Amino acid sequence: MQYWLFKTEPHEFSLQMLHDSPNQSARWDGIRNYQARNYLKNHVAPGDEVFIYHSSTTPCAIVGTARITTAAYPDPAQFNPQSPYFDAKATPSQPRWYAVDICWQSTFKTPIPLAWIKQQPPLHAMALLKQSRLSIVPVTKEEWVWILGGGIG
DNA sequence: GCCAACGTTGGC
DNA sequence: GCCAACGTTGGC
């Protein structure tokens, strides 16, 4: 059981859209960064829990949680020439990019802003802060518990 | 809209 | 294999 943080731009795909999807589930696709891809392919597993983080918005914040429901599988968009995520160098026998399915789990009454996270000494080592451009980052159990507790640990 | 960080591409 | 140029992300 591991914990993760997935970033999304809410006008592209928000936590609310996940909640409103059939079975409150959706494919988390379009990951086109090798480090994020490697996390998906090698480490993300069904049952893992995920903070959903809204980026490029005001305020940037963790808005709730989701649960991983599948192992990583090849992202179909890489094979679709019509898709913005098309990758001409990917083939079904040698896929480059992966996706997972996730299920909505909770929406926080009060989102947890990035500014608050930055103020918490126990969160100073968070991968979110260290690699601010990565769209999938691991979260430790201690960080997960601290954030869910609103800073009470 | 700006800019820092950093990943990717391509010439050599 | 190096590195400059370029593109993208994402906070502010």
Side-chain angles (χ1 to χ4, degrees):
Chain A
M1 239 309 276
Q2 288 185 269
Y3 300 96
W4 305 96
L5 182 145
F6 286 8
K7 291 185 193 174
T8 181
E9 297 193 15
H11 66 271
E12 298 282 342
F13 190 81
S14 67
L15 181 62
Q16 185 62 43
M17 291 180 212
L18 176 64
H19 177 268
D20 293 343
S21 298
N23 300 319
Q24 301 183 331
S25 295
R27 171 182 299 143
W28 202 264
D29 59 4
I31 301 299
R32 294 295 180 270
N33 167 285
Y34 283 106
Q35 200 173 347
R37 189 279 308 263
N38 290 342
Y39 280 135
L40 274 187
K41 190 168 173 249
N42 303 330
H43 299 289
V44 173
D48 286 0
E49 290 184 278
V50 180
F51 282 137
I52 302 299
Y53 176 91
H54 284 177
S55 66
S56 299
T57 187
T58 305
C60 304
I62 300 171
V63 292
T65 66
R67 186 178 288 275
I68 305 292
T69 58
T70 68
Y73 58 92
D75 182 349
Q78 70 194 304
F79 308 125
N80 177 5
Q82 314 304 327
S83 167
Y85 298 117
F86 177 66
D87 184 338
K89 293 181 179 167
T91 65
S93 60
Q94 294 220 309
R96 273 191 173 186
W97 307 112
Y98 287 78
V100 292
D101 290 353
I102 68 171
C103 180
W104 175 87
Q105 187 168 258
S106 71
T107 298
F108 297 154
K109 282 179 188 162
T110 308
I112 297 168
L114 178 62
W116 180 86
I117 292 171
K118 286 180 171 177
Q119 289 168 1
Q120 305 299 305
L123 303 180
H124 279 173
M126 272 193 91
L128 172 69
L129 303 180
K130 300 290 175 189
Q131 285 180 285
S132 60
R133 297 181 329 123
L134 246 198
S135 59
I136 292 181
V137 287
V139 174
T140 68
K141 176 155 195 173
E142 290 72 22
E143 291 161 352
W144 181 272
V145 169
W146 183 268
I147 288 168
L148 281 187
I152 304 168

Short mmCIF file of all heavy atoms in Angstrom, two decimals, chain A residues 4 6 8 10 14 24-25 29 45 50-51 58 62 71 81 84 96 105 116 121 135-137:
data_model
loop_
_atom_site.label_atom_id
_atom_site.label_comp_id
_atom_site.label_asym_id
_atom_site.label_seq_id
_atom_site.Cartn_x
_atom_site.Cartn_y
_atom_site.Cartn_z
N TRP A 4 0.19 8.43 -3.06
CA TRP A 4 0.65 9.24 -4.19
C TRP A 4 -0.06 10.57 -4.20
O TRP A 4 -1.10 10.74 -3.56
CB TRP A 4 0.34 8.52 -5.52
CG TRP A 4 0.92 7.16 -5.57
CD1 TRP A 4 0.29 5.97 -5.26
CD2 TRP A 4 2.26 6.80 -5.90
NE1 TRP A 4 1.16 4.92 -5.39
CE2 TRP A 4 2.38 5.40 -5.78
CE3 TRP A 4 3.38 7.53 -6.30
CZ2 TRP A 4 3.57 4.72 -6.05
CZ3 TRP A 4 4.56 6.87 -6.56
CH2 TRP A 4 4.64 5.47 -6.43
N PHE A 6 -1.44 13.01 -7.38
CA PHE A 6 -1.62 13.21 -8.82
C PHE A 6 -2.06 14.65 -9.04
O PHE A 6 -2.99 15.13 -8.40
CB PHE A 6 -2.71 12.29 -9.39
CG PHE A 6 -2.33 10.83 -9.52
CD1 PHE A 6 -1.13 10.33 -9.01
CD2 PHE A 6 -3.19 9.95 -10.16
CE1 PHE A 6 -0.80 8.98 -9.14
CE2 PHE A 6 -2.87 8.59 -10.29
CZ PHE A 6 -1.67 8.11 -9.79
N THR A 8 -3.59 17.66 -11.51
CA THR A 8 -4.43 17.88 -12.68
C THR A 8 -4.84 19.34 -12.73
O THR A 8 -4.96 20.00 -11.69
CB THR A 8 -5.67 16.97 -12.66
OG1 THR A 8 -6.45 17.21 -13.82
CG2 THR A 8 -6.52 17.20 -11.43
N PRO A 10 -7.73 21.70 -13.12
CA PRO A 10 -9.16 21.44 -12.93
C PRO A 10 -10.03 21.76 -14.14
O PRO A 10 -11.10 21.17 -14.29
CB PRO A 10 -9.52 22.30 -11.72
CG PRO A 10 -8.40 23.25 -11.54
CD PRO A 10 -7.19 22.61 -12.12
N SER A 14 -11.14 17.70 -13.35
CA SER A 14 -11.17 18.03 -11.92
C SER A 14 -11.61 16.83 -11.10
O SER A 14 -12.12 15.84 -11.64
CB SER A 14 -12.13 19.19 -11.67
OG SER A 14 -13.46 18.76 -11.94
N GLN A 24 -17.97 6.63 -10.68
CA GLN A 24 -17.03 7.56 -10.05
C GLN A 24 -15.59 7.19 -10.36
O GLN A 24 -14.68 7.40 -9.55
CB GLN A 24 -17.27 7.62 -8.53
CG GLN A 24 -18.69 8.06 -8.19
CD GLN A 24 -18.95 8.20 -6.72
OE1 GLN A 24 -18.35 7.51 -5.90
NE2 GLN A 24 -19.86 9.09 -6.36
N SER A 25 -15.41 6.62 -11.56
CA SER A 25 -14.09 6.12 -11.95
C SER A 25 -13.71 6.67 -13.31
O SER A 25 -14.57 6.99 -14.13
CB SER A 25 -14.09 4.60 -12.03
OG SER A 25 -14.30 4.05 -10.74
N ASP A 29 -4.89 9.35 -17.69
CA ASP A 29 -4.06 9.16 -18.88
C ASP A 29 -3.35 10.45 -19.26
O ASP A 29 -3.43 11.45 -18.55
CB ASP A 29 -4.91 8.64 -20.04
CG ASP A 29 -6.06 9.59 -20.38
OD1 ASP A 29 -6.15 10.67 -19.80
OD2 ASP A 29 -6.87 9.23 -21.25
N ALA A 45 -0.07 0.73 -7.59
CA ALA A 45 -0.76 -0.57 -7.54
C ALA A 45 -2.20 -0.39 -7.09
O ALA A 45 -2.52 0.58 -6.39
CB ALA A 45 -0.02 -1.51 -6.59
N VAL A 50 -4.53 8.13 -3.28
CA VAL A 50 -3.97 9.25 -4.05
C VAL A 50 -4.59 10.57 -3.60
O VAL A 50 -5.82 10.68 -3.52
CB VAL A 50 -4.29 9.05 -5.55
CG1 VAL A 50 -3.72 10.18 -6.38
CG2 VAL A 50 -3.78 7.70 -6.06
N PHE A 51 -3.76 11.54 -3.31
CA PHE A 51 -4.24 12.91 -3.18
C PHE A 51 -4.45 13.47 -4.59
O PHE A 51 -3.57 13.35 -5.45
CB PHE A 51 -3.22 13.81 -2.48
CG PHE A 51 -3.16 13.64 -0.99
CD1 PHE A 51 -1.93 13.59 -0.35
CD2 PHE A 51 -4.32 13.57 -0.23
CE1 PHE A 51 -1.86 13.47 1.04
CE2 PHE A 51 -4.26 13.44 1.16
CZ PHE A 51 -3.02 13.38 1.79
N THR A 58 -6.30 28.92 -8.58
CA THR A 58 -6.16 29.71 -7.36
C THR A 58 -7.18 29.28 -6.33
O THR A 58 -8.38 29.39 -6.59
CB THR A 58 -6.34 31.21 -7.64
OG1 THR A 58 -5.42 31.58 -8.67
CG2 THR A 58 -6.07 32.04 -6.42
N ILE A 62 -4.62 20.53 -2.62
CA ILE A 62 -5.13 19.16 -2.61
C ILE A 62 -6.62 19.25 -2.29
O ILE A 62 -7.01 19.88 -1.31
CB ILE A 62 -4.42 18.31 -1.54
CG1 ILE A 62 -2.92 18.25 -1.82
CG2 ILE A 62 -5.02 16.89 -1.51
CD1 ILE A 62 -2.12 17.60 -0.70
N ALA A 71 -3.94 -2.06 -12.30
CA ALA A 71 -2.51 -1.94 -12.57
C ALA A 71 -2.33 -1.04 -13.78
O ALA A 71 -3.29 -0.77 -14.52
CB ALA A 71 -1.90 -3.32 -12.83
N PRO A 81 -3.90 8.75 -33.64
CA PRO A 81 -3.36 9.93 -34.33
C PRO A 81 -4.20 11.19 -34.10
O PRO A 81 -3.70 12.30 -34.25
CB PRO A 81 -3.38 9.55 -35.81
CG PRO A 81 -3.46 8.06 -35.82
CD PRO A 81 -4.22 7.68 -34.58
N PRO A 84 -4.28 14.40 -28.85
CA PRO A 84 -3.12 15.26 -28.54
C PRO A 84 -2.00 14.47 -27.86
O PRO A 84 -0.87 14.95 -27.80
CB PRO A 84 -3.70 16.33 -27.61
CG PRO A 84 -5.00 15.79 -27.14
CD PRO A 84 -5.49 14.84 -28.19
N ARG A 96 4.96 3.09 -24.99
CA ARG A 96 5.82 3.98 -24.21
C ARG A 96 5.13 4.48 -22.96
O ARG A 96 5.77 4.75 -21.95
CB ARG A 96 6.16 5.23 -25.04
CG ARG A 96 7.33 5.13 -25.91
CD ARG A 96 7.63 6.53 -26.42
NE ARG A 96 8.87 6.55 -27.16
CZ ARG A 96 9.43 7.66 -27.61
NH1 ARG A 96 8.86 8.83 -27.38
NH2 ARG A 96 10.54 7.61 -28.27
N GLN A 105 -12.76 8.96 -4.06
CA GLN A 105 -12.89 8.47 -2.69
C GLN A 105 -13.41 9.53 -1.73
O GLN A 105 -14.26 9.25 -0.90
CB GLN A 105 -11.52 7.95 -2.21
CG GLN A 105 -11.55 7.27 -0.87
CD GLN A 105 -10.25 6.52 -0.60
OE1 GLN A 105 -10.17 5.31 -0.73
NE2 GLN A 105 -9.22 7.27 -0.26
N TRP A 116 -0.23 26.30 2.50
CA TRP A 116 -0.24 25.68 3.83
C TRP A 116 0.78 24.55 3.92
O TRP A 116 1.52 24.43 4.89
CB TRP A 116 -1.66 25.15 4.14
CG TRP A 116 -1.77 24.51 5.49
CD1 TRP A 116 -2.01 25.13 6.68
CD2 TRP A 116 -1.62 23.11 5.79
NE1 TRP A 116 -2.01 24.21 7.70
CE2 TRP A 116 -1.77 22.97 7.18
CE3 TRP A 116 -1.35 21.97 5.02
CZ2 TRP A 116 -1.69 21.73 7.82
CZ3 TRP A 116 -1.26 20.74 5.65
CH2 TRP A 116 -1.42 20.62 7.03
N PRO A 121 6.52 22.23 8.75
CA PRO A 121 7.86 21.62 8.81
C PRO A 121 7.87 20.11 8.51
O PRO A 121 8.76 19.65 7.80
CB PRO A 121 8.32 21.93 10.24
CG PRO A 121 7.63 23.21 10.57
CD PRO A 121 6.27 23.10 9.90
N SER A 135 4.09 15.41 -12.37
CA SER A 135 2.64 15.33 -12.21
C SER A 135 2.19 14.13 -11.37
O SER A 135 1.04 14.05 -10.98
CB SER A 135 1.96 15.29 -13.57
OG SER A 135 2.41 14.16 -14.30
N ILE A 136 3.13 13.20 -11.11
CA ILE A 136 2.85 12.08 -10.21
C ILE A 136 4.02 11.99 -9.25
O ILE A 136 5.15 11.78 -9.69
CB ILE A 136 2.70 10.76 -10.98
CG1 ILE A 136 1.43 10.82 -11.83
CG2 ILE A 136 2.69 9.57 -10.04
CD1 ILE A 136 1.16 9.55 -12.62
N VAL A 137 3.75 12.18 -7.96
CA VAL A 137 4.82 12.09 -6.98
C VAL A 137 4.38 11.21 -5.80
O VAL A 137 3.20 11.17 -5.45
CB VAL A 137 5.24 13.48 -6.44
CG1 VAL A 137 6.02 14.25 -7.49
CG2 VAL A 137 4.06 14.27 -5.95
#
